């Protein structure tokens, strides 16, 4: 699939390797749309083991998605890709100019991968492993960690619409996880956290987020 089909080509040969059920590539797909960067999106046969093929391992020696190619440049790791796109295509800005404000955004970007993602994955695990019970200790612990993480976001949001004031890469990094809490059976965690719930609604309403929904 090539997106967008009708807009002028801004970058030559940008290609993203992704899979529809993968959360980390979705961060990049959202940023590409926010910045209107045309990109060929190549769906990788993840269930068929394509990530561990010698051909793919040459792109990312850890055999993971996403991978972005821009001409001869091949980059793995969603945060490295997002920062690269930001530097190559600064408008519209998804990072603030001020150093302190940037640090606050990067803090949230890292938290989303280091703390939110493992908790989210523990909660989602029974959907992919039918033998696993929802009261499995790892799932229960994952839900508790997810709830604690959402508490941190509730406090961080304060009176802001977005995690760091303006809409930034901090919001982009969280979107693939928090906009699917309902379908993964964790929607109840939003009810007692009104600011997070309203922020998730705002996120889900953005065209770039809607267009990349799994
Ligand atoms: N730290 C990496 C995490 C990437 C990651 O976990 N990708 C998943 C898909 S969402 C993957 O490729 N999983 C397959 C595997 O690890 O074999 C990033 O931010 O890009």
């Amino acid at each position: 699939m090539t997106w967008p089909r009708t807009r002028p080509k801004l970058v030559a040969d940008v290609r993203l390797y992704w899979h529809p059920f993968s959360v980390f590539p979705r961060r990049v797909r959202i940023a590409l749309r926010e910045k209107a960067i045309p990109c060929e999106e190549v769906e990788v046969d993840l269930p068929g083991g394509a990530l561990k093929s010698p051909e793919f391992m040459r792109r990312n020696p850890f055999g993971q998605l996403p991978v972005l190619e821009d001409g001869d440049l091949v980059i793995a790791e969603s945060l490295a890709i997002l920062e690269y796109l930001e530097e190559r295509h600064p408008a519209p800005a998804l990072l603030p100019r001020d150093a302190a404000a940037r640090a606050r955004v990067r803090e949230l970007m890292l938290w989303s991968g280091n703390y939110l993602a493992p908790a989210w994955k523990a909660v989602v695990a029974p959907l992919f492993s039918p033998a696993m019970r929802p009261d499995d200790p790892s799932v229960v612990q994952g839900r508790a960690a997810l709830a604690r993480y959402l508490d941190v976001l509730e406090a961080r949001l304060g009176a802001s619409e977005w995690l760091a004031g303006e809409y930034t890469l901090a919001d982009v990094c969280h979107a693939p996880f928090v906009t699917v809490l309902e379908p993964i059976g964790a929607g109840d965690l939003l009810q007692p956290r009104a600011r997070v719930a309203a922020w998730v609604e705002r996120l889900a309403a953005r065209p770039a987020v809607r267009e990349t929904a799994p």
Side-chain angles (χ1 to χ4, degrees):
M1 175 182 31
T2 302
W3 186 95
R5 292 176 200 284
T6 51
R7 299 197 193 190
K9 200 167 170 64
L10 302 175
V11 180
D13 304 326
V14 177
R15 183 178 297 144
L16 177 74
Y17 294 88
W18 74 298
H19 184 271
F21 295 149
S22 296
V23 272
F24 289 96
R26 190 172 169 210
R27 294 169 156 183
V28 180
R29 298 180 69 227
I30 292 170
L32 287 165
R33 284 160 178 76
E34 297 287 6
K35 288 178 174 288
I37 302 170
C39 180
E40 180 191 357
E41 295 187 334
V42 180
E43 188 176 326
V44 174
D45 181 13
L46 193 152
L51 289 184
K52 309 305 170 196
S53 69
E55 189 207 349
F56 193 83
M57 297 283 273
R58 274 195 291 278
R59 297 189 178 95
N60 178 358
F62 296 99
Q64 286 197 325
L65 298 168
V67 168
L68 185 94
E69 291 177 350
D70 188 356
D72 291 338
L73 178 69
V74 183
I75 327 170
E77 288 295 326
S78 59
L79 298 190
I81 295 170
L82 291 171
E83 296 258 3
Y84 171 75
L85 293 175
E86 186 65 23
E87 287 179 19
R88 286 292 310 272
H89 303 274
L94 293 175
L95 275 178
R97 290 178 70 86
D98 172 68
R102 277 190 175 221
R104 295 292 269 178
V105 171
R106 289 181 171 130
E107 178 182 59
L108 282 154
M109 291 166 72
L110 287 163
W111 280 352
S112 66
N114 292 345
Y115 308 118
L116 171 60
W120 184 93
K121 278 185 189 170
V123 171
V124 108
L127 300 180
F128 294 96
S129 319
M132 196 174 201
R133 292 169 50 93
D135 61 356
D136 187 283
S138 66
V139 182
V140 174
Q141 282 164 23
R143 270 185 70 88
L146 187 53
R148 280 196 303 277
Y149 190 89
L150 296 178
D151 284 339
V152 172
L153 296 189
E154 182 79 0
R156 184 56 72 95
L157 275 162
S160 295
E161 288 206 340
W162 304 109
L163 286 177
E166 298 298 309
Y167 178 76
T168 65
L169 289 179
D171 303 290
V172 171
C173 283
H174 284 77
F177 301 95
V178 298
T179 57
V180 296
L181 290 179
E182 205 73 59
I184 69 165
D188 58 305
L189 296 180
L190 290 175
Q191 280 145 29
R193 298 171 179 88
R195 292 170 186 155
V196 172
W199 164 69
V200 169
E201 267 186 32
R202 277 191 291 277
L203 270 177
R206 292 189 77 89
V209 176
R210 272 208 320 267
E211 286 167 20
T212 56

